């Protein structure tokens, strides 16, 4: 939990404060003074008694007790400073701008650890090192500009990169995005993104706290903590949009060289975000556009009215929205005839509502009133209004401003004339509005917001059958691939049916086996890895003679060690897989087997624990889902059984976190049963 | 062809010119005066003798001979004005701003036609009506602002929407995009996008003309003309990027209500653009970002060095580039060690090259020199450099500017600090550079440019076998679906093998047939549309008894009229389809048959005429292509035969443009033959 003195200090010391406002220590002081910090301010500067008019001490030991220290001195002096502050000055909040710690080398890492230990022991909170600081309603503790417009209903923004935070603040300015708090975590030595989320979660107050959270993340060290607090915030009505950079292999390399981030492969991030209900973004402009939408009223549905005085942008917006599943319903009614009569000749009210280049404020008011009050089929409005430079648009933007406030339905303002009516847009934004400028960027963001799934429903702790038996089986096994017999046993305990195999190495064993075998059976060569490729699988053997012939044939394959006999199971090939990575819960994958996995990569992924609804969603989201339902006269499979198998595997993974990889490939789906015919499980304890 | 007096008038009359610079007629005059039009200017204004200091005539009949008329008066007076100008004033160029023509109603359409006739008869050229005008190096014939920076090496921009043109000019300004010419076509009464392309093509001069063309299009009336001139321009070394709006069904509705555009379904546009080699864009910012890339040196490969002083944006850029197939090669050499020694501690030179927040101009120069001269594996550089607000960046941007000019490899400048170093960015741009501001928008655009395929190679006119026979067969057939017998005949002439069927309606016919049948055969019920769904297909009938039983069974199906007997053809199911729409050439589709078409929609499309290379590309681009090559121990199909079938169908479509739809579904691919077992062809003459 973040210490209250970090959040709301009554006194701040700038260690390394100076008159040079182009240095971090000088600029943070200027920012605090310019933005009217209400508490006491001190500076530590070895050479001056006064810095920018603030009392300066030459020695840290001379400073009075102080809530928060902002440290902007060379890395090598930081430890000593922190020691004095924690042990003698009752300081609980620390922001360390200085670089040269864990992001640099091993020595830096050691130093950073020692600093954290001191602060931990004192029960304090540390933001940084190597960050740009923190801004909230109490103080502007950053050394960068610009200081954005702060507003309790603005967004809370947590950034793993200081520069990215600055660039986002800059880009947000012209669109009117305001902030409630900005937290940059730098090296996350003590407080990382997860800890700030924990703070925002635990300090959340309905009606007071901002409901929109933005994240820029390069690494998630503690996915479970991250999940816990994002889920909790979302359950309190918050919306979270996030960039997780370093999602490509090469991006990971870039992220690693940047902040020593752990490489997280992308599907883990994706399923984690889905589990929580986070809107995933991929760039700064996308993130702030999504934020701009989230700050406005929530739309009750997917039906958008596009209101425009310029055809082109309306067509492009219509394209992007309808390609992404939103609707631009055709409007035709007596009321729309009345509206049409109020517009200039040549206007169209069928949606997009085009009131022509000559359209005016009064007409816009009539159109908005029409959409708000006379079109129950409309959920939200997007108004596109720029200017070719001939006439002012103040009156139009006033109508927009007024209606955005009073309307029940959200109204999004797309104001593309960033040159011709620049001042009018600034005025509009100053009144607390959001101005989007590119209709396609806006449209993609709107679709992203509308289409994003809520997080997983809360599920009861799963019933874990045979827990003791399973642990007993696993605990004695070494790392690596489980022997097939053990894996089959494990599936049995888990409740997944398996086509029990047995193995024969020679004629004698074959003769013995052939007496008890229930035909038809399958023979598979053991030894070669890719059995199909070497002709090592013979299906549908229905008598003793064929059994003998097939055995001989398979044993002649290069590398053959034995032959596996398995009952012949018919049905549709399915696939269930699972993987674990670092501290994340397992990811489970499902799909149709065979070419659908290997060639078409048609797979759905989810993070454990998987609920029944989630399992069904995984299946229905497959491109090949119609095949599972049944197409072209072929009957489908039993979806419930498939979902149940996914849940059983999910439960298994919770019981056996040591499972690093699991493959059921294929599972055969017959009318009313599902039987795995191949299993591979790798343990990593 | 556009008349030279429209392009380069020595004299212009503004009909409807006024002192009110907030009216179109007033503003266009002001624009001409402000931007120093070199020729003679006149005004026609019924009430004044002088307008903005320019001689004004009260009556059009009093005006001297004049090259170009810009008309900004009420629609109803335009015809008379044009009559005087064409018949008595030797005027050849016309720009008509006025609205109220074909975009409004039938009367307007009639009036527009009469105007075009007058101008056609006089051998003149008309841009508009209902447009914002034209800007080129000779004059600024628009009534809008801003007037963009003009530069012969800037982009030529043709827009089907005036407002979109204005918004693009506005957005282009801050990034430094310059223009060579801007043409807005309005209602395209005489000159449409195709005609401007024709002009740009025919007037193209190597070394003088701009090589980057941008298009915003809502309708393509003459796809063949469009294709001819875009292909020709691209063959001369030009790059073309285009938005075709109205690509969704709902967007089409929006486009139609806007300019009376013909609805073109999206796949026709897509294949047309691919045929020509046009880079397709979907939004204004994307279009100008692509244009900014095209205006710089061309990269010789896909290997990018990312140079940054801020980690976050570099990680995001790495992500977006590598996700889209570009490479950020890891750099490690003795030379890179030398470079590292020139940078501050903690920098990274492995690519992204991160020279830290404190990185300076001198270091940037060293890094660029390293990438330019010591990294043969690097083809292009992307430099990300903003500012947290502490220090100036003039020197850094000077290094960038200098190196962009002198470097052999393209250097892209991503300057995200749109607030902190706004002035420095403006300076940078004033020197003729392009400044991108969002790394992800830039990265997507760069990937789009690099990944876009060149247009189709020129192919010789196809050899059309059996042309006479085919025409004879088609000419006597009515509209609608061809009888199967004719369709089979047509395929035979085309060189596509078909599993010849025959039909039996009763026992007698069956008895007769069963004597000559070569088993195994397939029986299909005739009558019901979806045969598989009603169990109407029985495969692999191998003897007389089964034949009789199956016949009886099928004839009992509701709606059964007869039964088709066909040789049983084994193999992999393939699909070839074709479709025609309005004035476009045919689109051909190919894919695997069955679920691959119906469920997975895994299809490739191309426009006729399809070359061999194109046909092969269509096949290899299928997601299911590995299946056609052979997977999991299954042998593949003969790709050449499949490609040959596509070409044969392409040739057929050229001979029979009346084919509105064609389906070969399925074609069965066996080892060395391809046999169609079902065909549907619909004619629309």
């Amino acid at each position: 939990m973040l210490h209250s003195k970090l959040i709301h200090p009554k006194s701040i010391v700038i260690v390394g404060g100076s008159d040079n406002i182009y240095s971090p220590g000088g600029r943070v002081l200027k920012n605090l003074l310019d933005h009217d910090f209400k508490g006491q301010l001190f500076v530590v500067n070895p050479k001056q008694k006064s810095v920018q008019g603030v009392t300066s001490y030459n020695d840290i030991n001379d400073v009075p007790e102080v809530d928060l220290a902002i440290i902007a001195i060379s890395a090598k002096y930081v430890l000593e400073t922190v020691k004095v502050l924690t042990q003698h000055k009752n300081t609980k909040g620390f922001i360390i701008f200085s670089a040269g710690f864990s992001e640099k080398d091993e020595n830096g890492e050691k130093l950073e650890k020692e600093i954290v230990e001191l602060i931990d022991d004192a029960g304090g909170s540390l933001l940084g090192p190597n960050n740009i600081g923190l801004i909230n309603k109490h103080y502007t503790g950053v050394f960068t500009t610009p200081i954005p417009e702060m507003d309790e209903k603005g967004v809370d923004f947590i950034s793993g990169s200081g520069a990215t935070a600055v660039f986002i603040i800059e880009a947000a300015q012209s669109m009117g995005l305001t902030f409630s708090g900005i937290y940059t975590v730098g090296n996350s030595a003590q407080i990382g993104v997860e800890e700030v989320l924990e703070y925002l979660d635990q300090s959340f107050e309905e009606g007071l706290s901002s409901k929109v959270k933005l994240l820029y993340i390069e690494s998630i060290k503690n996915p479970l903590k991250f999940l816990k607090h994002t889920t909790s915030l979302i359950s309190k009505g918050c919306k979270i949009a996030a960039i997780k950079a370093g999602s490509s292999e090469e991006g990971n390399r870039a992220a690693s060289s940047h902040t020593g981030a752990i490489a997280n492969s992308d599907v883990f991030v994706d399923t984690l975000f889905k589990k929580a209900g986070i809107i995933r973004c991929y760039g700064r402009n996308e993130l702030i556009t999504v934020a701009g939408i989230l700050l406005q009223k929530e739309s009750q549905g997917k039906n958008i009215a596009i209101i425009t005085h310029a055809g082109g942008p309306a067509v492009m917006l219509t394209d992007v929205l309808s390609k992404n599943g939103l609707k631009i319903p055709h409007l035709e009614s007596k009321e729309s005839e009345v509206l049409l009569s109020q517009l200039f000749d040549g206007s169209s009210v069928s949606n997009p509502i085009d009131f022509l280049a000559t359209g005016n404020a009064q007409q816009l008011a009539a159109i908005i009133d029409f959409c708000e009050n006379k079109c129950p089929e409309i959920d939200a409005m997007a108004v596109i209004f720029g200017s070719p430079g001939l006439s002012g648009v103040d009156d139009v933007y006033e109508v927009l401003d007024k209606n955005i406030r009073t309307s029940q339905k959200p109204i999004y303002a797309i104001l593309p004339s960033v040159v011709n009516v620049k001042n009018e847009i600034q005025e509009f934004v100053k009144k607390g509005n959001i101005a989007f400028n590119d209709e396609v960027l806006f449209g993609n963001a709107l679709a992203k917001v509308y289409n994003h799934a809520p997080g997983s429903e809360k599920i009861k702790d799963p019933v874990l059958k045979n827990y003791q038996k399973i642990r007993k089986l696993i605990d004695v096994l070494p790392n690596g691939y489980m022997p097939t017999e053990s894996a089959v046993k494990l599936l049995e305990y888990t409740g997944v049916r398996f086509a029990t195999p047995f193995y024969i190495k020679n004629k004698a064993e074959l003769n013995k086996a052939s007496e008890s075998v229930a035909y038809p059976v399958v023979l598979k060569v053991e030894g070669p890895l890719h059995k199909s490729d070497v002709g090592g699988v013979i299906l549908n053997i229905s008598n003793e003679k064929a059994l003998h012939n097939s055995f001989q044939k398979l044993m002649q394959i290069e590398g053959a060690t034995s032959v596996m006999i398995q009952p012949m199971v018919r049905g549709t090939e399915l696939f269930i897989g699972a993987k674990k990575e670092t501290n994340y819960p397992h990811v489970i994958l499902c799909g149709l087997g065979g070419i659908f996995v290997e060639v078409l990569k048609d797979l759905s992924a989810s993070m454990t624990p998987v609920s029944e609804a989630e399992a069904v969603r995984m299946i229905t989201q497959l491109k090949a889902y119609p095949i599972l339902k049944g197409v072209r006269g072929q009957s489908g499979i039993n979806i419930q059984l498939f979902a149940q198998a996914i849940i059983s595997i999910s439960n298994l993974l919770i019981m056996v976190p040591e499972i690093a990889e699991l493959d059921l490939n294929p599972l055969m789906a017959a009318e009313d049963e599902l039987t795995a015919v191949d299993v591979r499980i790798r343990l990593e304890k």
Side-chain angles (χ1 to χ4, degrees), chain A:
Chain A
M1 191 61 182
L2 275 56
H3 198 288
S4 65
K5 288 184 177 174
L6 175 66
I7 300 302
H8 191 175
K10 300 235 159 33
S11 53
I12 302 178
V13 60
I14 315 294
V15 183
S18 81
D19 284 326
N20 174 8
I21 61 161
Y22 300 106
S23 74
R27 179 58 63 94
V28 66
L29 180 60
K30 182 169 166 28
N31 281 340
L32 287 165
L33 292 169
D34 284 355
H35 292 85
D36 209 20
F37 171 62
K38 298 279 188 282
Q40 279 186 292
L41 274 178
F42 314 116
V43 166
V44 174
N45 179 311
K47 294 178 186 158
Q48 292 176 239
K49 291 289 173 199
S50 167
V51 170
Q52 295 184 44
V54 171
T55 307
S56 168
Y57 300 89
N58 297 355
D59 189 326
I60 184 74
N61 287 292
D62 300 337
V63 172
E65 284 204 352
V66 62
D67 286 353
L68 171 74
I70 297 179
I71 300 177
I73 54 177
S74 178
K76 58 187 167 189
Y77 302 120
V78 173
L79 182 67
E80 188 51 37
T81 302
V82 170
K83 194 176 283 176
V84 173
L85 288 164
T86 49
Q87 293 176 359
H88 304 293
K89 308 298 177 187
N90 197 26
T91 306
K92 302 296 182 190
F94 291 86
I95 296 174
I96 303 179
F97 294 157
S98 323
F101 293 95
S102 65
E103 88 286 359
K104 190 182 166 202
D105 54 24
E106 273 181 32
N107 281 336
E109 195 175 336
K110 194 166 154 280
L111 199 57
E112 188 175 296
K113 269 194 187 152
E114 289 171 0
I115 292 166
V116 170
E117 270 169 33
L118 284 173
I119 297 173
D120 277 347
D121 289 347
S125 286
L126 164 65
L127 212 53
N130 190 23
N131 72 343
I132 64 164
L134 180 160
I135 314 180
N136 63 23
K137 64 175 169 179
H138 303 298
Y139 72 110
T140 55
V142 295
F143 67 83
T144 57
T145 57
I147 302 295
E149 195 71 35
M150 301 303 287
D151 172 356
E152 292 201 346
K153 290 295 154 74
V155 301
D156 277 315
F157 172 36
I158 312 173
S159 183
S161 154
T164 306
V166 172
F167 303 154
I168 284 178
I169 292 165
E170 291 184 272
Q173 200 171 68
S174 63
M175 76 181 289
L177 198 67
T178 57
F179 293 84
S180 169
I182 297 174
Y183 308 80
T184 69
V185 295
N187 290 359
S188 304
Q190 187 209 46
I191 297 171
V193 171
E194 296 88 331
E195 286 70 32
V196 181
L197 283 167
E198 179 186 38
Y199 162 72
L200 293 177
D201 180 19
Q202 294 180 351
S203 66
F204 182 85
E205 288 186 67
E206 179 63 41
L208 288 177
S209 302
S210 161
K211 289 204 163 175
V212 180
K213 316 292 179 195
L214 299 190
L215 316 177
Y216 172 83
I217 318 169
E218 290 180 1
S219 81
I220 301 172
K221 287 186 189 165
N222 190 338
L224 286 172
K225 187 169 187 178
F226 180 89
L227 184 62
K228 179 181 170 186
H229 296 295
T230 49
T231 306
S232 170
L233 281 164
I234 289 169
S235 75
K236 291 170 184 170
C238 293
K239 306 282 182 184
I240 305 180
I243 296 174
K244 164 65 180 72
S247 59
S248 65
E249 208 181 307
E250 281 162 325
N252 260 321
R253 177 156 55 76
S256 302
S257 73
H258 177 47
T259 55
I262 299 162
N264 301 316
S265 82
D266 207 39
V267 65
F268 281 81
V269 175
D270 234 27
T271 50
L272 185 73
F273 280 20
K274 269 191 203 142
K275 195 103 193 156
I278 294 169
I279 302 168
R280 186 164 188 186
C281 296
Y282 293 89
R284 289 184 286 117
N285 277 333
E286 187 187 31
L287 186 72
I288 61 175
T289 306
V290 163
I293 291 164
L294 295 177
L295 280 182
Q296 296 197 213
K297 292 183 189 84
E298 196 168 353
S299 172
Q300 298 307 308
K302 296 193 168 192
N303 296 303
I304 316 292
I306 296 175
I307 302 165
T308 186
H309 76 143
V315 184
M316 288 187 275
L317 181 57
T318 303
D319 280 346
V320 66
L321 292 179
S322 50
K323 265 185 199 166
N324 287 288
L326 282 87
K327 300 283 171 205
I328 321 297
H330 190 75
L331 298 173
E332 203 174 353
S333 65
K334 277 194 178 170
E335 300 286 0
S336 59
E337 292 298 314
V338 174
L339 174 65
L340 191 59
S341 72
Q342 296 173 266
L343 308 181
F344 292 132
D345 271 8
S347 296
S348 163
V349 294
S350 58
N351 197 14
I353 299 174
D354 187 343
F355 64 121
L356 306 183
T358 44
N360 59 36
Q362 196 184 344
Q363 291 170 335
L364 178 61
I367 293 168
I368 292 177
D369 176 61
F370 166 73
C371 293
E372 170 78 4
N373 298 312
K374 290 165 190 160
C375 297
E377 66 270 51
I378 290 297
D379 301 306
M381 294 165 244
V383 177
I384 303 169
F385 207 98
S387 165
L390 290 186
S391 51
V393 293
D394 305 78
D395 52 349
V396 175
Y397 291 2
E398 259 169 47
V399 165
L400 259 178
D401 172 58
K402 185 172 152 277
N403 281 281
I404 286 171
R405 275 164 223 290
T406 54
S407 165
Q408 297 290 314
K409 301 174 183 175
I411 302 174
Y412 305 107
I414 297 149
L415 312 182
S417 278
V418 292
V419 175
N420 283 331
V421 290
K422 192 180 167 187
N423 297 335
E424 288 93 328
I425 294 174
Q426 277 176 4
E427 270 307 306
F428 177 76
V429 151
K430 266 192 203 152
K431 291 177 186 164
N433 294 302
I434 303 285
F436 303 96
N437 76 61
D438 184 276
E439 52 281 350
V440 171
L441 184 61
F442 163 77
N444 275 316
L446 188 67
K448 188 162 250 192
V449 170
Y450 282 10
N451 289 328
H452 111 278
S456 304
E457 55 289 347
K458 282 236 163 135
I459 52 173
K460 282 180 289 188
D461 284 340
V463 180
L464 303 175
K465 279 187 202 153
N466 298 323
Y467 182 74
Q468 299 305 333
K469 283 185 195 166
I470 287 176
R471 287 305 328 167
K472 211 168 146 187
L473 178 71
I474 295 295
D475 289 345
V476 298
L477 287 172
N479 275 352
Y481 283 102
M482 284 176 76
T484 308
E485 266 174 87
S486 309
V488 169
K489 196 96 206 151
L490 189 62
L491 289 182
E492 186 190 304
Y493 292 154
T494 308
V496 175
R497 178 199 288 258
F498 196 85
T500 314
F502 52 102
Y503 299 87
I504 45 181
K505 288 204 188 66
N506 51 44
K507 270 269 162 102
E509 288 179 10
L510 181 69
N511 287 332
K512 205 180 149 202
S514 65
E515 287 163 20
S516 59
V517 137
Y519 295 105
V521 294
V522 182
L523 292 201
K524 296 179 187 170
V525 69
E526 291 287 298
L529 198 62
H530 297 292
K531 296 167 189 173
S532 301
D533 295 356
V534 293
V537 178
I538 303 175
L539 301 172
N540 213 15
I541 295 164
S542 55
N543 57 53
E544 198 172 326
K545 193 181 160 204
L547 182 68
H548 280 264
N549 288 344
S550 301
F551 174 76
Q552 281 186 321
K553 200 175 151 197
L554 291 184
M555 286 303 280
Q556 281 161 20
I557 291 174
E558 204 184 319
T561 56
S562 64
V563 166
M564 186 179 98
I565 304 187
Q566 223 179 358
M568 176 76 195
V569 183
R570 294 177 189 283
T572 305
E573 283 188 38
L574 303 178
F575 168 86
I576 295 178
K579 204 184 156 200
K580 180 145 177 70
E581 215 174 86
T582 59
N583 301 317
Y584 281 83
H586 285 88
V587 160
I588 297 193
L589 302 165
C590 79
L592 271 82
I595 54 148
F596 291 91
V597 173
E598 290 168 26
V599 178
L600 304 168
K601 320 279 183 212
D602 179 24
L603 293 162
S604 289
S606 215
M607 191 155 270
T608 58
V610 178
S611 70
E612 197 181 331
E614 241 171 323
V616 170
R617 206 153 49 225
M618 283 173 75
I619 299 168
T620 53
Q621 279 169 356
L622 290 166
K623 283 208 195 79
Y625 174 60
I627 298 167
L628 296 181
K629 274 199 310 186
V631 279
R632 308 184 96 212
Q634 301 282 326
S635 60
I637 67 151
N638 185 323
I639 305 286
Q640 282 308 318
L641 275 183
F642 191 14
Q644 195 47 56
I646 294 170
I647 295 165
S648 299
I649 294 298
S650 169
N651 292 346
L652 167 65
L653 295 166
I654 291 165
M655 289 187 272
V656 191
E658 300 98 322
I659 294 177
E661 283 175 58
L662 176 151
D663 263 11
L664 298 181
N665 187 18
L667 274 157
M668 304 302 286
E671 255 177 53
D672 268 313
E673 52 186 38
L674 214 64
T675 312
V677 298
D678 211 348
V679 59
R680 279 162 71 97
I681 297 176
R682 189 168 66 77
L683 297 178
E684 207 177 292
K685 296 188 175 187

